[in-house]
Amino acid sequence: MVQQPEVPSPSAMEAPPVVEMRKIVKRFPGVLANENVDFDLRKSEIHALLGENGAGKSTLMNVLAGLYRQESGTILVKGRPVNFVSPRDAIQAGIGMIHQHFMLVPTQTVTENILLGLDKPRFRMRLKEYDQVIGDLGDRFGLKVDPSAKIWQLSVGEQQRVELLKMLYRGAEVLIMDEPTAVLAPSEIDGLFATLRSMIAEGKSIIFISHKLQEVTAIADRITVLRKGKVTAGGQPIGEMTRQELARLMVGRDVVFHVDKKQLEPGEIVLSVANIHADNDKGLPALRGVTFDVRAGEVVGLAGVAGNGQNELSQVITGLRRCTEGCVELNGEVICNQGSLYSIERGLAYVPEDRNRVGSSPNLSVTDNVIMKKYRKAPISRGWILDMMTATRFAQELKETYDIIVPKVETPVRLLSGGNLQRVILAREFSGQPKMIVAVQPTRGLDVGAIEGVHRLLLTQRETGAAILLISEELEELFSLSDRVLVIYEGKLMGEVREADLDTVGQMMTGTPLEEIRKGGGKQNV
Ligand SMILES: Nc1ncnc2c1ncn2[C@@H]1O[C@H](COP(=O)(O)OP(=O)(O)O)[C@@H](O)[C@H]1O
Ligand SMILES: [Mg+2]
């Protein structure tokens, strides 16, 4: 778990701002993204910028990082007005931004990427020496990554470390991190936080963009909240604010943190998973004999530290990965190793973790995305012809029902915020009245308002009798939505729990089967 930040020293509190943004206005066609925004950053502080998706956080920081030009307003760095026309100018002034989507060359090494674009024409000849330099820099800030590894070989978390190293190598004093935890597994977040603290200790200043209250209160010294382009809290010390207050400043109304789950008697077995074995992408065993059932009107949660077979399991069930042993049945019919279309046609819905690549087609419209599973059938398809009128009407209806905020259903989904994109996917998946739903990290990266909406939609499906397998790393989410929670460790189930006993679940997540814990012989976790 994350630790509380240390109290900033008095000298840090009194230091003049490293960065000051005054009355920043930035417009996009039809949107006032930043409306007279004031923001200041002090030396050696972590200043959180909090707000829902679309609040204007990235825009404001893109202005500071020299990527966008403001329509009006001024920026001062250490008291001096600056005028950035490109990110290069901002970096020269010591300001570096790590974007949500990384900008690395996959076929090159870590060191090559870090030195890329710098005036060091002959670094390639002395790559080994530079590997050493980058390695040392990494050690200094707790950024563990192999300098000679190629980017494509790295996990997303490691790639983020490369982006940080790149900025540190260029001498950034101010680091802007745009939703850095959105791409990380919970287990990687502590590492990032430790790095941020070590950077503060070396006199750097950090702007931490997030929409997660828990993270912000754990890491930040001060906080600025944006809502619809305007500041609703300006640089308040974090200690003074409660989570409820922050939520209200962010979304403008009270947020419900727990969900109302109706008492339901589970029905017939819908999904039956029996002794499943499967390999991961590297050909190593990822699932080693997994057995469980999910009944109609029941949510079964799957807890586990990332990378313990959760993804492989969801892929075997949805027909995207072959199992080497065992069997998956949907309503008594064998669906494993039959391909995904086969299970879709038998009533399986899939809400994948990767909304942008697997869950949707970014360049296609909302309409195209919601009819994706239906275009082969009437009434949308008539023989060879797609009935676009019917398709549009169908999309309009879903837009209303699922509260998708978008001007027209013809808009490409890549322009939608994370919460709205997720609603498009849920609309598509749930409109077919699925019998079985496999939902993987359905709320990852969403803000509180959108999370609430997704939870409600899942519970509505439960009430209408769907069987749901919920795979999530958020224990709070798992225990509030699920009727029972299975815990997976290294491809095996460690048991099933119904209550949020975190001590027990924690032991199971680190490899102690429930039986052993019950026997009183549970391993002591150090
Ligand atoms: N490049 C762009 N072109 C048009 N509109 C944009 C662009 N970038 C952001 N917007 C709009 O500006 C508003 C603020 O977006 P953004 O700064 O990305 O919010 P946040 O980072 O808080 O989620 C949103 O309404 C968004 O749709
Ligand atoms: Mg953003």
Side-chain angles (χ1 to χ4, degrees):
M1 278 281 102
V2 279
Q3 289 158 4
Q4 285 300 316
E6 284 162 23
V7 180
S9 67
S11 62
M13 299 293 287
E14 287 153 19
V18 191
V19 168
E20 218 177 327
M21 302 179 84
R22 290 189 193 147
K23 302 249 165 308
I24 301 293
V25 176
K26 175 68 193 173
R27 235 178 270 279
F28 291 113
V31 192
L32 189 49
N34 292 151
E35 193 175 346
N36 289 316
V37 174
D38 291 327
F39 178 85
D40 73 288
L41 179 70
R42 295 178 190 148
K43 191 170 167 59
S44 298
E45 78 162 343
I46 301 182
H47 192 142
L49 187 57
L50 182 75
E52 284 198 289
N53 280 319
K57 308 179 295 292
S58 297
T59 303
L60 184 70
M61 289 304 129
N62 280 323
V63 167
L64 180 58
L67 214 65
Y68 294 161
R69 286 292 291 268
Q70 71 270 33
E71 262 92 61
S72 62
T74 47
I75 302 175
L76 300 117
V77 174
K78 293 183 188 148
R80 290 232 190 96
V82 291
N83 202 349
F84 300 149
V85 283
S86 75
R88 194 177 275 260
D89 293 347
I91 289 178
Q92 232 137 48
I95 298 170
M97 180 157 171
I98 289 110
H99 294 271
Q100 276 171 291
H101 304 286
F102 304 145
M103 301 171 180
L104 300 168
V105 184
T107 51
Q108 299 203 326
T109 70
V110 169
T111 299
E112 285 170 322
N113 267 276
I114 291 169
L115 298 182
L116 213 65
L118 293 182
D119 298 328
K120 288 199 167 38
R122 287 194 296 180
F123 76 83
R124 277 168 211 283
M125 297 171 66
R126 297 193 289 138
L127 211 50
K128 280 268 174 315
E129 281 169 48
Y130 280 104
D131 280 352
Q132 183 69 42
V133 174
I134 301 299
D136 291 347
L137 190 63
D139 288 344
R140 208 169 111 200
F141 293 101
L143 294 161
K144 219 180 91 196
V145 57
D146 173 9
S148 61
K150 296 256 171 33
I151 297 298
W152 65 263
Q153 297 174 309
L154 303 181
S155 71
V156 181
E158 288 170 317
Q159 292 183 30
Q160 183 178 67
R161 286 176 227 153
V162 178
E163 288 278 10
L164 263 170
L165 280 170
K166 195 163 133 188
M167 287 307 158
L168 290 168
Y169 187 80
R170 283 163 168 68
E173 290 299 317
V174 171
L175 288 127
I176 307 166
M177 301 207 69
D178 197 350
E179 312 246 2
T181 61
V183 295
L184 298 181
S187 50
E188 291 172 308
I189 294 176
D190 287 351
L192 173 68
F193 282 7
T195 293
L196 297 186
R197 293 205 183 91
S198 72
M199 296 197 305
I200 293 303
E202 294 216 15
K204 314 266 181 210
S205 314
I206 296 167
I207 301 169
F208 181 88
I209 304 181
S210 180
H211 55 247
K212 292 196 175 168
L213 301 173
Q214 194 196 354
E215 283 173 3
V216 161
T217 47
I219 190 74
D221 299 306
R222 288 195 303 147
I223 185 161
T224 291
V225 185
L226 284 182
R227 181 166 81 229
K228 294 184 177 150
K230 285 192 227 164
V231 174
T232 53
Q236 249 96 313
I238 201 85
E240 294 171 6
M241 332 256 321
T242 67
R243 205 169 137 179
Q244 284 296 342
E245 264 175 301
L246 286 172
R248 205 176 309 119
L249 288 165
M250 205 167 128
V251 302
R253 63 190 157 83
D254 284 315
V255 182
V256 198
F257 275 104
H258 45 255
V259 287
D260 280 326
K261 195 169 61 192
K262 284 208 183 108
Q263 281 294 333
L264 289 175
E265 269 308 308
E268 300 284 302
I269 290 175
V270 176
L271 184 80
S272 152
V273 173
N275 190 32
I276 286 295
H277 289 251
D279 293 340
N280 64 17
D281 288 340
K282 294 182 184 132
L284 301 170
L287 296 173
R288 303 181 296 155
V290 172
T291 301
F292 67 95
D293 293 330
V294 187
R295 291 169 177 273
E298 182 185 47
V299 179
V300 172
L302 184 69
V305 175
N308 275 284
Q310 296 96 316
N311 282 339
E312 288 82 2
L313 181 61
S314 72
Q315 290 162 350
V316 166
I317 296 171
T318 54
L320 296 166
R321 180 178 297 272
R322 294 190 69 80
C323 55
T324 51
E325 214 183 306
C327 186
V328 181
E329 287 177 14
L330 183 64
N331 285 321
E333 250 188 289
V334 176
I335 56 162
C336 49
N337 297 346
Q338 308 268 20
S340 54
L341 192 60
Y342 190 84
S343 44
I344 289 171
E345 282 172 349
R346 279 153 189 80
L348 186 92
Y350 181 35
V351 182
E353 175 171 15
D354 189 343
R355 294 192 271 275
N356 296 310
R357 280 184 299 177
V358 183
S360 62
S361 294
N363 290 324
L364 295 184
S365 68
V366 171
T367 305
D368 292 337
N369 271 279
V370 290
I371 65 166
M372 229 173 246
K373 288 172 85 173
K374 291 189 166 12
Y375 70 91
R376 290 188 189 82
K377 292 202 192 90
I380 284 171
S381 163
R382 286 185 305 208
W384 291 93
I385 306 160
L386 274 186
D387 182 346
M388 273 325 277
M389 284 255 287
T390 310
T392 305
R393 212 176 316 121
F394 174 68
Q396 280 292 356
E397 274 168 28
L398 292 184
K399 172 176 177 299
E400 302 299 321
T401 316
Y402 287 84
D403 201 16
I404 300 162
I405 301 166
V406 58
K408 311 183 277 168
V409 291
E410 286 78 23
T411 310
V413 297
R414 77 181 133 80
L415 298 179
L416 267 58
S417 71
N420 278 309
L421 177 58
Q422 186 65 312
R423 279 194 273 258
V424 168
I425 294 168
L426 295 183
R428 178 187 68 217
E429 296 298 321
F430 295 174
S431 63
Q433 282 143 358
K435 299 189 178 85
M436 174 73 214
I437 297 165
V438 178
V440 185
Q441 318 288 359
T443 59
R444 177 173 281 182
L446 302 186
D447 53 63
V448 273
I451 289 174
E452 220 187 306
V454 169
H455 285 174
R456 240 185 244 130
L457 290 172
L458 280 168
L459 288 179
T460 309
Q461 287 298 312
R462 171 181 176 266
E463 280 160 32
T464 57
I468 301 171
L469 176 65
L470 173 66
I471 302 181
S472 173
E473 280 156 34
E474 309 274 344
L475 288 178
E476 207 178 319
E477 167 169 279
L478 276 176
F479 281 100
S480 59
L481 295 180
S482 308
D483 296 284
R484 51 198 174 95
V485 174
L486 308 169
V487 183
I488 193 166
Y489 174 77
E490 292 191 345
K492 282 188 183 161
L493 294 184
M494 293 291 113
E496 173 190 310
V497 281
R498 283 166 194 267
E499 313 265 289
D501 172 359
L502 291 185
D503 195 41
T504 306
V505 175
Q507 287 191 58
M508 292 164 80
M509 284 171 74
T510 49
T512 315
L514 184 61
E515 300 169 12
E516 268 179 50
I517 300 170
R518 292 256 162 89
K519 268 189 249 156
K523 250 192 303 188
Q524 285 299 307
N525 288 302
V526 194

